[in-house]
């Protein structure tokens, strides 16, 4: 007899920034329990599914999630009792309909996504297979090339750099284990270089260093030096990826690119990125322009899409409809995927398929407010994404995802694949 959902429970726990989030348990009549915890973003797209926060200033400065937890324990638990946990789409549709809003704001996207992910875990337990195989089947064999955030700026660090993420990606690796070693060695070389130059080596939300550097070029040059002193060749062994998170420094049609108030147009930003691409081994730029600057995105894509990967995050927010709109307007050539942006596993997979159908690349991503939950590591393998962003080479909530990928690599053994998505056009 197939397992059924017996009950759904939730609790208020803390994420990596010390703020509350929702953890959900989907309990089966077989005794198995699927558990998942909702992440939260700092730099968020305004079209994202909406978290539910209590707003009580006396608890966690208003960030408590007791109402979202209550919604899981009452309405959601009643609606899912007796359902088959392996019917993911049906359960996600039940959650969407139960909420009844366009942004999942009534029950809370944080409540819904935790339950949706926990249901997937429960379904995998009921099927007796690992989560990546449950979601992806026997074809789930590709380990993702990681993009590691080694220098933080913007909303992830209270420093001079307005651009948010400077990442390394070990394109020369032939296995996940080798990629992590190469990146770790480079990360620690970067720490040594920062120490030698008198910079603090405190880290930002995603584990990257947060020094008070004078310019983005300064950050890029330090990263290249770290790659070289670690014994690797920039552009051959390890390349650079950027996430400026430009929505955060965009206002009234202009981009304020530094703390001095220097402003640039969309065309000037595109020219700046073009100059960097010629100078530094950059293979990917995410959110190079604002989520509201659609015409600018068209220019950016036209000018640079044959040279690098251009990733849309805030402009798409893992929404199949927005991704379709971007495809029609020829915006970007890759999509960042965050489960909690759209709110359910089924909608996330639909977003991935929408991108794939248009030959857009897919990058699975964490959030700045993370937990020890490793769901996205399994998801990246399940959909053969080929790329993942899950933070730097420190902070255990980031390392947990990398360690899970190492476990999956071991489980797949000779079936495991690891490819460089930039080996051909676009890098």
């Amino acid at each position: 007899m197939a397992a059924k959902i017996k009950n759904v429970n939730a609790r208020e726990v803390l994420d990596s920034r010390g703020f509350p989030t929702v953890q959900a348990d989907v309990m089966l009549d077989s005794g198995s329990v699927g558990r998942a915890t909702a992440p939260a973003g700092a730099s968020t797209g305004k079209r994202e599914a909406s978290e539910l926060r209590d707003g009580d200033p006396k608890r966690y400065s208003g960030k408590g999630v007791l109402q979202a937890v209550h919604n899981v324990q009452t309405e959601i638990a009643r609606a899912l009792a007796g359902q088959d946990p392996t019917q993911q789409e049906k359960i996600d549709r039940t959650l969407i309909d139960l909420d009844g809003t366009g942004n999942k704001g009534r029950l809370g996207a944080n409540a819904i996504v935790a339950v949706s992910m926990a249901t997937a875990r429960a379904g995998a337990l009921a099927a007796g297979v690992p989560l990546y195989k449950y979601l992806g089947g026997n074809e789930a064999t590709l380990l993702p090339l990681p993009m590691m955030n080694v220098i933080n700026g913007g909303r992830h660090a209270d420093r001079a750099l307005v651009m948010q993420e400077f990442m390394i990606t070990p394109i020369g690796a032939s296995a996940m284990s080798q990629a992590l070693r190469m990146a770790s060695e480079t990360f620690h070389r970067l720490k040594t270089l920062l120490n030698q130059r008198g910079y603090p080596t405190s880290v930002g939300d995603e584990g990257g260093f947060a020094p008070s550097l004078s310019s983005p070029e300064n950050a890029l040059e330090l990263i290249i030096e770290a790659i070289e002193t670690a014994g690797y060749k920039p552009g051959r062994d390890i390349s650079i990826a950027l996430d400026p998170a430009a929505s955060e420094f965009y206002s009234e049609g202009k981009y304020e690119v530094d703390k001095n108030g220097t402003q640039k147009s969309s065309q000037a930003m595109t020219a700046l990125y073009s100059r960097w691409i010629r100078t530094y081994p950059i293979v990917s730029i995410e959110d190079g322009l604002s989520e509201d600057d659609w015409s600018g995105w068209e220019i950016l894509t036209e000018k640079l899409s044959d040279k690098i990967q251009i990733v849309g995050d805030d402009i798409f927010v893992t929404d199949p409809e927005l991704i379709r709109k971007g495809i029609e307007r020829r915006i970007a050539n890759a999509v960042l995927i965050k489960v909690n942006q759209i709110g359910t596993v089924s909608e996330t997979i639909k977003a991935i398929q929408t991108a794939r159908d248009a030959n857009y690349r897919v990058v699975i991503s964490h959030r700045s407010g993370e937990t020890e939950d490793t769901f996205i590591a399994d998801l990246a393998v399940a959909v053969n994404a080929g790329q993942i962003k899950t933070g730097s080479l420190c902070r255990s909530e980031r390392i947990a995802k990398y360690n899970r990928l190492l476990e999956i690599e071991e489980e797949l053994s000779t079936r495991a694949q690891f490819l460089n998505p930039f080996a051909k056009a676009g890098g």
Side-chain angles (χ1 to χ4, degrees), residues 28-102:
L28 307 183
D29 55 13
S30 64
S32 297
V33 179
R35 174 173 291 174
T37 312
S43 171
T44 57
K46 62 185 179 183
R47 302 177 186 90
E48 288 191 25
S50 181
E51 293 180 333
L52 181 61
R53 300 281 179 176
D54 297 335
D56 179 357
K58 295 180 180 178
R59 290 192 78 251
Y60 292 112
S61 301
K63 293 182 179 292
V65 293
L66 292 181
Q67 184 57 53
V69 167
H70 177 74
N71 291 341
V72 174
Q73 295 171 334
T74 54
E75 289 188 62
I76 290 175
R78 288 193 295 268
L80 298 191
Q83 292 207 35
D84 181 348
T86 65
Q87 299 297 308
Q88 186 74 42
E89 286 191 37
K90 179 183 177 183
I91 286 174
D92 287 345
R93 175 47 56 188
T94 298
L95 293 170
I96 293 166
D97 292 345
L98 187 66
D99 174 80
T101 69

Side-chain angles (χ1 to χ4, degrees), residues 341-383:
Q341 277 185 329
I342 190 66
T344 67
V345 174
S346 298
E347 290 171 293
T348 300
I349 292 173
K350 183 179 179 182
I352 292 168
Q353 192 56 54
T354 300
R356 282 267 169 74
D357 288 346
N359 294 317
Y360 276 45
R361 291 173 180 168
V362 170
V363 184
I364 305 298
S365 178
H366 63 159
R367 301 309 300 260
S368 57
E370 264 296 338
T371 73
E372 63 275 19
D373 194 317
T374 60
F375 189 94
I376 62 168
D378 281 76
L379 177 64
V381 178
V383 300

Side-chain angles (χ1 to χ4, degrees), residues 12 18 41 74 98 103 124 187 259 268 275 348 359 389 391-392 421:
E12 184 182 65
T74 54
L98 187 66
N103 65 358
F187 177 76
K259 300 294 185 181
R275 185 166 70 251
T348 300
N359 294 317
K389 280 180 61 179
S392 194

Side-chain angles (χ1 to χ4, degrees), residues 7-332:
N7 192 21
V8 183
N9 192 26
R11 61 193 61 83
E12 184 182 65
V13 298
L14 298 183
D15 69 17
S16 59
R17 295 177 300 184
F19 292 133
T21 190
V22 179
Q23 184 176 82
D25 290 345
V26 172
M27 293 164 274
L28 307 183
D29 55 13
S30 64
S32 297
V33 179
R35 174 173 291 174
T37 312
S43 171
T44 57
K46 62 185 179 183
R47 302 177 186 90
E48 288 191 25
S50 181
E51 293 180 333
L52 181 61
R53 300 281 179 176
D54 297 335
D56 179 357
K58 295 180 180 178
R59 290 192 78 251
Y60 292 112
S61 301
K63 293 182 179 292
V65 293
L66 292 181
Q67 184 57 53
V69 167
H70 177 74
N71 291 341
V72 174
Q73 295 171 334
T74 54
E75 289 188 62
I76 290 175
R78 288 193 295 268
L80 298 191
Q83 292 207 35
D84 181 348
T86 65
Q87 299 297 308
Q88 186 74 42
E89 286 191 37
K90 179 183 177 183
I91 286 174
D92 287 345
R93 175 47 56 188
T94 298
L95 293 170
I96 293 166
D97 292 345
L98 187 66
D99 174 80
T101 69
N103 65 358
K104 301 178 178 66
R106 190 182 73 83
L107 295 175
N110 42 353
I112 290 172
V113 76
V115 172
S116 181
M117 294 192 301
T119 299
R121 279 229 171 84
L125 290 169
V129 295
L131 180 59
Y132 66 89
K133 187 172 182 180
Y134 172 72
L135 293 174
N138 290 327
E139 301 304 311
T141 58
L142 180 64
L143 277 294
L145 177 71
M147 295 180 180
M148 288 91 158
N149 184 352
V150 294
I151 292 182
N152 287 186
R155 292 288 294 276
H156 292 174
D158 185 20
R159 298 294 182 186
L161 288 176
V162 300
M163 294 189 179
Q164 188 164 275
E165 296 182 42
F166 297 78
M167 296 170 279
I168 56 174
T169 183
I171 61 170
S174 58
M176 176 60 64
S177 51
Q178 183 186 16
L180 292 182
R181 178 176 64 81
M182 292 168 66
S184 175
E185 290 167 355
T186 302
F187 177 76
H188 288 288
R189 291 290 184 176
L190 179 58
K191 182 176 183 178
T192 298
L193 290 173
L194 291 170
N195 273 324
Q196 289 173 346
R197 287 159 172 75
Y199 292 113
T201 52
S202 55
V203 299
D205 283 352
E206 295 183 1
F209 299 115
S212 294
L213 300 176
S214 59
S215 68
E217 290 86 352
N218 193 187
L220 291 165
E221 288 158 5
L222 271 167
I223 291 170
I224 286 173
E225 187 175 351
I227 293 169
E228 291 173 338
T229 56
Y232 299 109
K233 183 174 177 58
R236 184 192 69 189
D237 301 321
I238 299 175
S239 290
I240 295 173
L242 303 177
D243 174 13
S247 295
E248 299 293 333
F249 53 91
Y250 177 78
S251 178
E252 298 180 353
K254 296 291 183 181
Y255 295 87
E256 193 165 304
V257 295
D258 56 39
K259 300 294 185 181
N260 298 321
T262 304
Q263 293 187 330
K264 290 184 180 291
S265 66
S266 306
Q267 291 86 346
M269 291 297 294
T270 299
L272 175 65
Y273 296 141
S274 182
R275 185 166 70 251
W276 286 354
I277 292 163
R278 292 193 301 270
T279 307
Y280 307 106
I282 296 169
V283 294
S284 179
I285 296 178
E286 171 194 334
D287 279 2
L289 296 176
S290 166
E291 63 191 303
D292 295 321
D293 189 7
W294 284 75
S295 59
W297 270 93
E298 289 175 332
I299 296 168
L300 178 71
T301 306
E302 179 186 0
K303 298 291 186 184
L304 301 182
S305 63
D306 62 336
K307 299 178 178 66
I308 62 165
Q309 175 174 272
I310 300 174
V311 187
D313 174 17
D314 288 349
I315 199 166
F316 294 145
V317 292
T318 315
D319 185 326
E321 293 301 319
L322 288 173
I323 294 169
R324 270 190 284 271
K325 179 181 176 183
I327 291 166
E328 290 169 2
R329 293 186 61 168
R330 298 182 179 181
I331 283 174

